[in-house]
Amino acid sequence: MQLKIMPKKKHLSAGGVPLILFLCQMISALDVPLDLVQPPTITQQSPKDYIIDPRENIVIQCEAKGKPPPSFSWTRNGTHFDIDKDPLVTMKPGSGTLVINIMSEGKAETYEGVYQCTARNERGAAVSNNIVVRPSRSPLWTKERLEPIVLQNGQSLVLPCRPPIGLPPAIIFWMDNSFQRLPQSERVSQGLNGDLYFSNVLPEDTREDYICYARFNHTQTIQQKQPISLKVISVDELNDTIAANLSDTEFYGAKSSKERPPTFLTPEGNESHKEELRGNVLSLECIAEGLPTPIIYWIKEDGMLPANRTFYRNFKKTLQITHVSEADSGNYQCIAKNALGAVHHTISVTVKAAPYWIVAPQNLVLSPGENGTLICRANGNPKPRISWLTNGVPIEIALDDPSRKIDGDTIIFSNVQESSSAVYQCNASNKYGYLLANAFVNVLAEPPRILTSANTLYQVIANRPALLDCAFFGSPMPTIEWFKGTKGSALHEDIYVLHDNGTLEIPVAQKDSTGTYTCVARNKLGMAKNEVHLEIKDPTRIIKQPEYAVVQRGSKVSFECRVKHDHTLIPTIMWLKDNGELPNDERFSTDKDHLVVSDVKDDDGGTYTCTANTTLDSASASAVLRVVAPTPTPAPIYDVPNPPFDLELTNQLDKSVQLTWTPGDDNNSPITKFIIEYEDAMHDAGLWRHQAEVSGTQTTAQLKLSPYVNYSFRVMAENSIGRSMPSEASEQYLTKAAEPDQNPMAVEGLGTEPDNLVITWKPLNGFQSNGPGLQYKVSWRQKDGDDEWTSVVVANVSKYIVSGTPTFVPYLIKVQALNDVGFAPEPAAVMGHSGEDLPMVAPGNVRVSVVNSTLAEVHWDPVPPKSVRGHLQGYRIYYWKTQSSSKRNRRHIEKKILTFQGTKTHGMLPGLQPYSHYALNVRVVNGKGEGPASTDRGFHTPEGVPSAPSSLKIVNPTLDSLTLEWDPPSHPNGILTEYILQYQPINSTHELGPLVDLKIPANKTRWTLKNLNFSTRYKFYFYAQTSVGPGSQITEEAITTVDEGKKAGIPPPDVGAGKAMASRQVDIATQGWFIGLMCAVALLILILLIVCFIRRNKGGKYPVKEKEDAHADPEIQPMKEDDGTFGEYRSFESDAEDHKPLKKGSRTPSDRTVKKEDSDDSLVDYGEGVNGQFNEDGSFIGQYSGKKEKEPAEGNESSEAPSPVNAMNSFV
C-alpha cells in the first residue's frame, strides 16, 4: 500500500533549521507558477500616506506580476490620469511605477493628490491602495516681538513654543545660543506640545537665550524661534524695582517665595478626554506647578496598568502605553503631590480602531466545475463596512457572474468556468481608515507538476528529523504519494508523516533511512514524479574532553579535545576562552587535538571550550583553568583584636563617671573603635546594653549616667576583621535616686461600658523610674464642662477605670509619674471618650432605585448625631430575596449585609438575582453595635439574560441526522422566549464550515436535525433567550455515522475529480465506548493509589490537623478600628438559624478576595478586595464575606467559554 496525502496534517519538526525550511516550502506551494495564465497580483506599491521631498523627483511605485504581463493605468483624484499629456511624467518600462521629473522644472505642489494604480490583463484587474501624495513642508516661524519676562523667585512659568505647522509634524527641542540642550528635571520639562514648563523658577533659571527649535526630518531643516529672556529676582530686588520705577508704596514681604500646594499647568480642569487608535502609543501628560516641586503619580481607576507595555517619560509627567487595545480604555488618574497637598486629574481614554484583518481574502485556484469561497473578515471600532469590487469595479454594477453569490463578507463560487476568473477587491473601512485586499479567482485545468529540483540530495544527522521536499502544483489539487527505492516499496503512516504541502517527514532518521525516495503527484489530468536522495550521517562527538586544571604561575598547561565524527564530514576544531576568541599571544598554540598554554599568567585563568563544527552539526566541551602562585610565602595572621583589660572607674559623680582601659593586641589590623556596654544589676541583671562608642585611639571615655542604676561596664575592640570578645566587667557603681524625668507614653481613654471610662498607659520600666516607689497620678475631667480635675494616685499598674460616667462624653486625661523623691514634669492632656451605647433611632425615608437586573441603589436620611451615642461607623443594609418571579417556592430566606462607612447616605446593592422580589432595611452602626432597623422596603428586579442550558446531549446518530436533548437553564432569570441552535461541520483539518442558525420554541427539550452529511463531525452552539437577550451558550460536538456501503467501495488511488477526497474514517477517540473504557481505567488507578496512601500512613495521627483544631481562626470580627473597615457579609438561613456561626469554610480567604464558589457576583469588582468600598458615586465600601448557600434556582453564569463562532460572527 502506498501512502497518499489525503487529510491535511501538520507535524512540525522541533529543529530550528528544518522548521524554517518547512515553512518556506509551505509558502512557496501557494504560488501559481509564472508560466501559467493567471490574473495580476500587486507585488509592490507606495505607502497610503506618501510624503515626498519637494527637492527630489517624485517616484510613485506600482509593481505587479501576471500572465500575460499586466498593463498599467493610473487615476488621480478619482479621474483617469493621462500620463502621455504631461511631459514631466513617465512610466518605467514593464512596470507601473510613475516618475515625475520636478528637478528640471515644475513644483511638487502641482502633483499633490490621491493616486491609484490598476494592473490589468485578460484574466482581471488588480488595484493598489489610494496613495495620498503630499510634499513635505517646513515653514518659518512668524515674526513676533517677545518681551523680557521678569518673575519672582518660586513662581511658575510656561514658555510657549507654538511651532509652525509642518508636514510631517516637527520635532521640538529647546537649546541656547551655543546649541546646547537646556537641562530638564522634575522642576523644568518640555511638554508634548513643545512648551517649556517651570513648576517654580529659581535664580539660576535667569538667561536671555531660551530658544525653541523645530526640526523637520523629511527635509533635514531646523527652524528657530526668537530667543526668550527670563530674569528671576528675589523679593528685595522686586521691591527696589517697584520703588525706583513705579514709586509704589505697596512692597512685597521679606519672604522670597511662598510654598504652595500643586496645581496643574496642563491639562486644565479636573477632567479631560483622550482618544487613541488601536495599535498606537497612548501618551498621557500631566504637568503641575507648586513649591516644593510636585511629584507625579499615575493610576488606572478601573484596573491595573499593563506591566509590559507601560513606560514613564519626562520625569513621570508622561505616561505611555504601547500597542493600545480596546481593553486599555478607561479612566486614568494623575496625582501631583508635594509636602503641602495633592491634586488629581482624571483623563478618560477611549480606544478606537481602524479596520484590521480577522480573515483576509486569499487567492483561489479552481478547476472548471469546482466550488470555492472568498472570505473577507475585518474588525474595528466602529465596526467597519465591508464592500466588494471585481476587477476594480463595485460588484453591484459589475457584469453578472452566475457562478458567484455574495453573502456579506463571503463570496461563494459554484461550478466555476474559465470565464469566472477575475480579481476581487475587498474594502473594509470606517472613519479611521480602510483596508484593501486583492484576491484572484483563477480557473485552470492543469496536470500536476513537481516544483522541487530533481535528484536533490538531503544529508541528515542520525536520530534527528528529516524533511524531504515535494513542492507541487496542479488544478484540480493533486494527491501526493511517496515511495522508497526503485521497487516502489510502500511507506507506512506509522513511521512517516506527510504534510499538506507535499513534504515527507521522517521523525527519527536512522541509518536504514538512507536511500532514494520518489514523490508522485496525480490528478484527473495526469501524473508527475520526482526523485530525491537521503543520506544519514553519524553525529559528531567529543570522546576525550578537556579536564579541570590547577597550575602554578609561569608553568605550562595542556588541554586535550579528541573528536569522533562521520568519515564523510570534515570537522573544524575551535578553542574559546570565556566564550570569546583566544588571546592573540604566541604562548597559546593548538594542534589537531590539543591546546597548549606556555608561561601561564594570572589572566590566563578562566573557562576554555573546545568546539567541533561540521556542515551538519557541532559538539563542545569545557574545562576551567585555575592559576595559583608558584611559591606561596607565609602571610601574616590577621584576626580580630584581643579584648581590652584593666578597666577602672574614676571621677564618680551623680550623673557621670570616667571609664579607663588598656587595649589588647590588634593582631596586625589597627583597632578602629571601642564599644562600651553597661549592665543594670538592679533592674536587668545579665542584660548588657549599648552605652557609647569611641575612636580606636582613645583609652578613656566620659559616660553619662541615669539615677538609681547599679552600673557595671565592659569594653570591646573592633578592627577591619571584626569585633573582639568582651573585656572583664568593671566594678559596680550605684547612682543616687531622683524624681522621674518622663511620664508614661500611649495614654488613652476609651469606655468599655456605657457608664465607664477606662484610662490606660504604657508604664515606665525600672531604668526609667529614677528611684524607688514608682506610682502614677491619674487625672480626668469632662472636656466641655467647667468641672475641676479629679485625681487619684495608683500603684505601678497600667490601667484605671472611672465608673458612673455619662454615655459617650469627651474627657481630658493626664497620667503623671512619681516616686519617693518627687513628681515627673507636668504631662500634656489627651482626649478620650466614655463608653458607647447602641444607637437609638433607625434611618428614615429609605428609597430604592433599581439600576438594572442585578444592581439597585439605596438612599436614606441620616439619623440625628445625638442619637448615635458613639462614634458613627456607618450604615448597614440588610437585604434578602423574598421570592423569585419565576420560581416562588423557596427553601429558606437568605439575608445579606453591606456596610457603608462614615456619613454616606446612599449605596449600591450588587449581585442581585434578575426577575426577583427583594426586601431590605437600614441600620446605623457605632462602636457598640447596630441601632434599630428601618421599616422593610421591597423592590423588584427586571428580567435578565438566562444562564446556559443545564445540559446538552446528542443521541441517536444516523447517516444524515442527529437528535439533540437538553435541560432548560438552571437560572432562566426571566421568561424564556426561545432557544437558538447554531451548528457547522468540521473537516479533517479542523476547519469550520458554514454556520447554520435555527430557532426552537421555548417549550421544547428535544430536536432532530435531518439532511446532514454522513461521517461528518458537527459542532453545536446552543443558548436560550429571554426578552432581554441571549444568554450564555453551551457547545457540543457529534459525528454522523459512517456510510458502510460506500466505505466498502473506495475508488483506486489514480481515479478522482475535484479536490482531494476527505477521509471517512471515524476517530476512535470520539467514540463513546472508548471514552468509557478510558474513564474506567483511570478510576481504577485512582482507587489503587488511595488504598496505597492509606496503608502507608496508617497508625499515625496528623499533628498539623490537631494544631489547626487547637488554634482555629476565629470568625471575622464585625469591626476593626485600625484599618477603618468593618461589617460582614453573611447569610441568615431562617429565624431558627439566625444565631448559628458561619461554617469554617465560609471565612474570607487570606488573599482578601471572594472565592467564586462563595459568591457568583464577585463583589471585588465593586470595591477593594473583601473590604471593597463604594466611592462617592455609590460603589460599595463595606466588607463582603461569609458563605452563600448554593441554590439550583439562582445564579447567572455559565461554565462554557464564548464560542469562537460567535467571536467570528461579531466581526461580520
Side-chain angles (χ1 to χ4, degrees):
M1 181 184 79
Q2 63 267 37
L3 189 60
K4 299 174 64 178
I5 299 183
M6 301 293 285
K8 293 186 178 181
K9 297 183 179 179
K10 296 183 179 180
H11 303 277
L12 300 185
S13 169
V17 174
L19 177 59
I20 295 174
L21 174 63
F22 170 63
L23 293 177
C24 294
Q25 293 167 346
M26 289 188 64
I27 295 173
S28 62
L30 300 177
D31 290 335
V32 179
L34 287 176
D35 62 327
L36 296 179
V37 176
Q38 57 185 289
T41 300
I42 300 289
T43 59
Q44 190 173 3
Q45 58 183 314
S46 294
K48 294 179 181 179
D49 190 7
Y50 187 25
I51 301 175
I52 61 172
D53 190 337
R55 302 168 299 181
E56 300 177 356
N57 288 338
I58 303 173
V59 179
I60 310 176
Q61 290 184 333
C62 180
E63 304 289 341
K65 66 177 183 178
K67 182 71 174 182
S71 60
F72 297 88
S73 61
W74 286 86
T75 62
R76 179 184 174 202
N77 297 329
T79 60
H80 176 67
F81 183 37
D82 192 348
I83 62 175
D84 295 331
K85 292 184 178 181
D86 193 332
L88 300 181
V89 183
T90 58
M91 185 183 296
K92 288 185 178 181
S95 165
T97 298
L98 294 182
V99 179
I100 305 175
N101 184 8
I102 62 172
M103 297 290 291
S104 58
E105 57 179 310
K107 295 183 177 180
E109 291 78 3
T110 307
Y111 296 94
E112 188 172 353
V114 181
Y115 293 78
Q116 189 172 41
C117 169
T118 302
R120 188 184 307 274
N121 68 10
E122 63 186 30
R123 287 268 167 159
V127 298
S128 70
N129 292 321
N130 284 330
I131 303 171
V132 180
V133 176
R134 295 182 294 170
S136 62
R137 298 181 179 88
S138 53
L140 298 174
W141 247 289
T142 57
K143 295 292 184 180
E144 57 182 335
R145 181 180 179 183
L146 301 176
E147 297 292 338
I149 300 174
V150 179
L151 286 180
Q152 180 187 351
N153 181 22
Q155 289 184 311
S156 62
L157 173 64
V158 180
L159 294 183
C161 180
R162 302 191 187 98
I165 298 177
L167 186 68
I171 297 174
I172 306 300
F173 50 93
W174 288 80
M175 295 196 299
D176 57 17
N177 274 330
S178 302
F179 296 99
Q180 299 298 316
R181 286 187 179 267
L182 297 176
Q184 298 189 21
S185 63
E186 291 179 341
R187 185 179 63 86
V188 183
S189 61
Q190 177 182 315
L192 294 177
N193 64 351
D195 293 349
L196 191 62
Y197 293 85
F198 294 76
S199 295
N200 50 79
V201 295
L202 299 176
E204 55 261 34
D205 297 327
T206 298
R207 64 190 311 149
E208 297 181 351
D209 55 351
Y210 285 95
I211 305 174
C212 181
Y213 289 86
R215 184 175 68 215
F216 298 91
N217 285 343
H218 212 79
T219 57
Q220 296 298 311
T221 58
I222 296 178
Q223 305 293 355
Q224 172 184 336
K225 184 183 177 74
Q226 290 292 325
I228 301 175
S229 174
L230 170 62
K231 183 176 182 181
V232 180
I233 61 178
S234 64
V235 176
D236 293 337
E237 293 175 309
L238 186 61
N239 288 334
D240 292 342
T241 302
I242 294 173
N245 299 326
L246 303 178
S247 298
D248 199 328
T249 59
E250 294 185 3
F251 291 89
Y252 288 91
K255 191 174 182 180
S256 60
S257 60
K258 184 177 181 180
E259 293 186 345
R260 57 190 182 277
T263 59
F264 282 114
L265 296 173
T266 182
E268 299 178 351
N270 296 326
E271 296 180 351
S272 59
H273 180 74
K274 174 79 172 181
E275 186 175 286
E276 191 54 79
L277 289 183
R278 180 182 185 268
N280 289 352
V281 176
L282 172 66
S283 295
L284 305 179
E285 180 182 59
C286 282
I287 301 179
E289 66 89 16
L291 190 64
T293 302
I295 304 298
I296 302 296
Y297 303 90
W298 291 90
I299 61 172
K300 187 178 182 185
E301 292 183 357
D302 49 356
M304 300 290 291
L305 293 171
N308 298 328
R309 296 184 294 113
T310 301
F311 302 92
Y312 297 100
R313 311 292 185 200
N314 197 18
F315 307 97
K316 295 195 72 173
K317 300 175 187 179
T318 302
L319 171 70
Q320 286 188 342
I321 300 177
T322 59
H323 306 294
V324 293
S325 64
E326 289 83 347
D328 294 316
S329 297
N331 291 331
Y332 293 78
Q333 190 176 100
C334 61
I335 305 165
K337 182 183 296 184
N338 67 9
L340 277 71
V343 63
H344 304 70
H345 183 92
T346 300
I347 305 175
S348 176
V349 173
T350 303
V351 177
K352 300 293 186 178
Y356 56 92
W357 289 121
I358 302 301
V359 180
Q362 302 294 324
N363 292 337
L364 193 60
V365 179
L366 301 173
S367 64
E370 281 192 317
N371 305 328
T373 58
L374 283 180
I375 300 175
C376 175
R377 195 156 293 154
N379 199 6
N381 186 10
K383 186 76 174 177
R385 176 180 174 271
I386 303 294
S387 59
W388 288 95
L389 300 89
T390 178
N391 297 325
V393 179
I395 204 165
E396 295 81 7
I397 62 175
L399 294 176
D400 188 34
D401 184 352
S403 67
R404 74 172 177 240
K405 176 184 177 182
I406 302 174
D407 185 10
D409 59 8
T410 304
I411 300 181
I412 304 172
F413 297 93
S414 57
N415 193 25
V416 297
Q417 302 302 320
E418 186 174 343
S419 60
S420 301
S421 297
V423 183
Y424 289 86
Q425 291 82 35
C426 171
N427 185 297
S429 60
N430 64 14
K431 63 186 291 187
Y432 299 104
Y434 73 94
L435 294 172
L436 178 67
N438 291 276
F440 64 65
V441 176
N442 196 14
V443 182
L444 294 174
E446 286 292 326
R449 61 172 70 182
I450 305 296
L451 306 180
T452 301
S453 300
N455 296 313
T456 301
L457 175 63
Y458 295 92
Q459 294 181 329
V460 178
I461 297 296
N463 298 318
R464 295 187 182 179
L467 294 170
L468 308 183
D469 184 23
C470 182
F472 63 92
F473 182 80
S475 183
M477 178 75 73
T479 59
I480 301 298
E481 303 165 342
W482 279 91
F483 301 88
K484 182 183 179 183
T486 57
K487 296 182 180 180
S489 58
L491 304 184
H492 299 286
E493 197 169 1
D494 55 346
I495 302 176
Y496 303 92
V497 178
L498 281 166
H499 297 279
D500 58 353
N501 67 336
T503 297
L504 174 68
E505 178 182 353
I506 307 174
V508 182
Q510 303 290 342
K511 280 288 187 178
D512 59 2
S513 301
T514 300
T516 299
Y517 292 79
T518 303
C519 167
V520 178
R522 290 188 177 92
N523 68 9
K524 66 180 182 179
L525 300 179
M527 180 195 75
K529 66 179 181 178
N530 186 44
E531 289 186 351
V532 297
H533 307 283
L534 175 63
E535 293 181 355
I536 306 301
K537 305 293 184 181
D538 290 324
T540 302
R541 295 183 294 115
I542 298 178
I543 58 177
K544 177 62 176 177
Q545 298 185 0
E547 297 179 349
Y548 173 80
V550 179
V551 298
Q552 294 182 355
R553 187 185 310 116
S555 61
K556 179 189 294 187
V557 64
S558 176
F559 293 106
E560 183 178 5
C561 179
R562 192 170 300 169
V563 178
K564 184 178 182 180
H565 57 90
D566 191 278
H567 69 280
T568 63
L569 301 177
I570 300 177
T572 301
I573 307 299
M574 178 182 296
W575 286 91
L576 303 174
K577 179 181 183 295
D578 297 329
N579 295 323
E581 294 183 359
L582 290 177
N584 186 15
D585 192 329
E586 61 183 9
R587 297 182 299 107
F588 291 81
S589 61
T590 60
D591 57 19
K592 181 180 179 182
D593 296 325
H594 291 82
L595 166 67
V596 178
V597 184
S598 304
D599 189 17
V600 174
K601 298 180 180 179
D602 290 338
D603 293 342
D604 296 335
T607 301
Y608 289 82
T609 302
C610 164
T611 302
N613 294 305
T614 69
T615 56
L616 298 181
D617 67 342
S618 66
S620 64
S622 299
V624 174
L625 172 63
R626 181 185 171 197
V627 181
V628 297
T631 54
T633 57
I637 299 175
Y638 297 93
D639 201 354
V640 299
N642 292 342
F645 56 96
D646 195 16
L647 275 62
E648 181 180 7
L649 296 178
T650 59
N651 298 336
Q652 297 176 352
L653 304 176
D654 290 345
K655 292 189 177 182
S656 68
V657 70
Q658 180 173 290
L659 175 65
T660 304
W661 63 91
T662 301
D665 194 331
D666 63 5
N667 291 327
N668 299 307
S669 178
I671 296 175
T672 56
K673 64 180 178 180
F674 292 97
I675 299 95
I676 304 169
E677 294 181 338
Y678 75 92
E679 177 195 32
D680 181 6
M682 181 183 300
H683 303 106
D684 292 313
L687 180 62
W688 291 91
R689 300 179 185 271
H690 181 81
Q691 173 73 26
E693 290 183 6
V694 297
S695 169
T697 60
Q698 292 183 228
T699 58
T700 301
Q702 193 72 25
L703 306 178
K704 294 183 179 181
L705 307 179
S706 294
Y708 201 59
V709 176
N710 193 9
Y711 282 100
S712 293
F713 298 95
R714 70 182 186 183
V715 182
M716 291 173 288
E718 185 173 298
N719 62 10
S720 60
I721 306 301
R723 184 175 294 184
S724 72
M725 295 295 292
S727 69
E728 294 291 334
S730 70
E731 61 181 309
Q732 292 185 348
Y733 175 53
L734 178 62
T735 57
K736 293 183 179 180
E739 65 272 11
D741 51 17
Q742 58 182 311
N743 285 301
M745 305 294 291
V747 178
E748 291 183 348
L750 182 66
T752 58
E753 297 295 335
D755 61 348
N756 76 3
L757 172 66
V758 179
I759 302 173
T760 59
W761 60 90
K762 181 181 179 180
L764 302 180
N765 58 35
F767 185 86
Q768 296 168 328
S769 65
N770 287 0
L774 179 63
Q775 294 179 303
Y776 300 98
K777 178 184 177 183
V778 183
S779 305
W780 67 91
R781 71 175 178 86
Q782 290 191 23
K783 178 178 178 296
D784 298 325
D786 297 328
D787 297 342
E788 296 293 329
W789 288 92
T790 302
S791 300
V792 63
V793 175
V794 298
N796 188 11
V797 295
S798 62
K799 179 174 68 175
Y800 182 79
I801 300 177
V802 181
S803 302
T805 63
T807 301
F808 196 64
V809 171
Y811 278 83
L812 293 178
I813 303 164
K814 295 189 295 185
V815 179
Q816 186 178 21
L818 67 151
N819 61 18
D820 293 345
V821 179
F823 285 85
E826 183 69 17
V830 299
M831 191 176 77
H833 282 84
S834 57
E836 299 179 75
D837 204 348
L838 294 176
M840 297 186 298
V841 178
N845 194 19
V846 178
R847 293 97 62 198
V848 182
S849 299
V850 178
V851 178
N852 54 41
S853 61
T854 62
L855 184 66
E857 184 174 11
V858 183
H859 289 259
W860 60 87
D861 290 344
V863 299
K866 291 186 177 180
S867 68
V868 177
R869 298 200 295 180
H871 294 286
L872 176 61
Q873 302 291 336
Y875 292 85
R876 188 169 292 162
I877 299 178
Y878 286 71
Y879 63 102
W880 62 94
K881 188 192 299 185
T882 57
Q883 63 182 11
S884 172
S885 299
S886 56
K887 295 185 179 181
R888 300 180 179 275
N889 294 327
R890 298 296 301 267
R891 292 180 295 132
H892 59 269
I893 295 177
E894 176 190 346
K895 290 187 178 181
K896 301 177 183 178
I897 302 172
L898 283 180
T899 305
F900 300 86
Q901 286 184 343
T903 59
K904 291 180 65 67
T905 58
H906 62 91
M908 308 294 283
L909 301 184
L912 302 178
Q913 181 71 33
Y915 205 57
S916 301
H917 292 282
Y918 280 85
L920 62 82
N921 58 52
V922 184
R923 312 176 191 195
V924 66
V925 181
N926 65 10
K928 189 71 173 178
E930 298 177 352
S934 65
T935 304
D936 290 353
R937 296 290 183 186
F939 62 97
H940 174 73
T941 55
E943 286 188 275
V945 297
S947 63
S950 298
S951 65
L952 175 62
K953 297 183 295 185
I954 290 84
V955 299
N956 300 332
T958 67
L959 281 175
D960 62 347
S961 69
L962 292 170
T963 299
L964 283 74
E965 295 182 353
W966 62 89
D967 291 326
S970 58
H971 306 292
N973 296 335
I975 300 175
L976 298 183
T977 58
E978 61 186 0
Y979 292 100
I980 302 297
L981 173 64
Q982 297 177 319
Y983 64 94
Q984 57 190 151
I986 306 174
N987 65 15
S988 60
T989 60
H990 306 290
E991 295 177 345
L992 299 175
L995 189 68
V996 179
D997 290 347
L998 184 63
K999 295 183 178 180
I1000 301 176
N1003 59 350
K1004 298 291 186 179
T1005 59
R1006 180 184 177 94
W1007 197 265
T1008 300
L1009 294 174
K1010 299 181 178 179
N1011 299 323
L1012 302 178
N1013 296 331
F1014 67 88
S1015 186
T1016 301
R1017 181 183 295 276
Y1018 284 85
K1019 187 165 187 177
F1020 299 91
Y1021 314 90
F1022 191 65
Y1023 57 90
Q1025 285 197 157
T1026 64
S1027 60
V1028 176
S1032 303
Q1033 69 179 11
I1034 186 172
T1035 63
E1036 189 58 78
E1037 292 184 13
I1039 305 176
T1040 54
T1041 58
V1042 180
D1043 186 349
E1044 297 295 332
K1046 292 187 178 182
K1047 181 177 179 181
I1050 298 177
D1054 60 341
V1055 178
K1059 292 188 175 179
M1061 298 168 55
S1063 172
R1064 296 179 183 177
Q1065 297 179 357
V1066 177
D1067 189 354
I1068 190 173
T1070 63
Q1071 300 303 301
W1073 64 271
F1074 181 80
I1075 296 173
L1077 178 60
M1078 293 298 99
C1079 292
V1081 172
L1083 180 60
L1084 180 58
I1085 293 174
L1086 179 62
I1087 293 174
L1088 291 175
L1089 289 175
I1090 293 173
V1091 171
C1092 292
F1093 180 81
I1094 293 174
R1095 290 176 59 86
R1096 186 169 182 172
N1097 292 277
K1098 188 174 181 182
K1101 289 188 176 181
Y1102 184 26
V1104 177
K1105 173 64 179 174
E1106 296 174 358
K1107 293 183 179 180
E1108 291 177 345
D1109 293 339
H1111 300 87
D1113 292 340
E1115 292 294 309
I1116 297 175
Q1117 297 303 315
M1119 200 174 307
K1120 298 180 180 180
E1121 295 185 356
D1122 56 344
D1123 60 3
T1125 60
F1126 54 93
E1128 299 177 331
Y1129 181 100
R1130 57 181 183 268
S1131 299
F1132 297 84
E1133 296 298 324
S1134 63
D1135 293 339
E1137 298 176 342
D1138 281 348
H1139 302 289
K1140 286 186 177 181
L1142 293 175
K1143 296 180 180 179
K1144 182 175 182 180
S1146 69
R1147 292 196 300 272
T1148 305
S1150 62
D1151 61 355
R1152 300 181 64 83
T1153 61
V1154 179
K1155 293 185 179 178
K1156 191 170 187 65
E1157 60 265 31
D1158 293 338
S1159 172
D1160 291 341
D1161 300 311
S1162 183
L1163 288 184
V1164 175
D1165 295 336
Y1166 290 86
E1168 303 169 358
V1170 174
N1171 296 328
Q1173 301 181 352
F1174 277 103
N1175 297 321
E1176 288 301 327
D1177 59 356
S1179 54
F1180 98 100
I1181 62 174
Q1183 293 188 356
Y1184 183 79
S1185 62
K1187 184 172 181 179
K1188 181 176 179 181
E1189 195 75 29
K1190 292 187 178 180
E1191 298 176 3
E1194 297 182 16
N1196 189 22
E1197 65 181 46
S1198 172
S1199 62
E1200 292 292 329
S1203 166
V1205 176
N1206 285 349
M1208 188 178 298
N1209 290 340
S1210 67
F1211 298 132
V1212 178

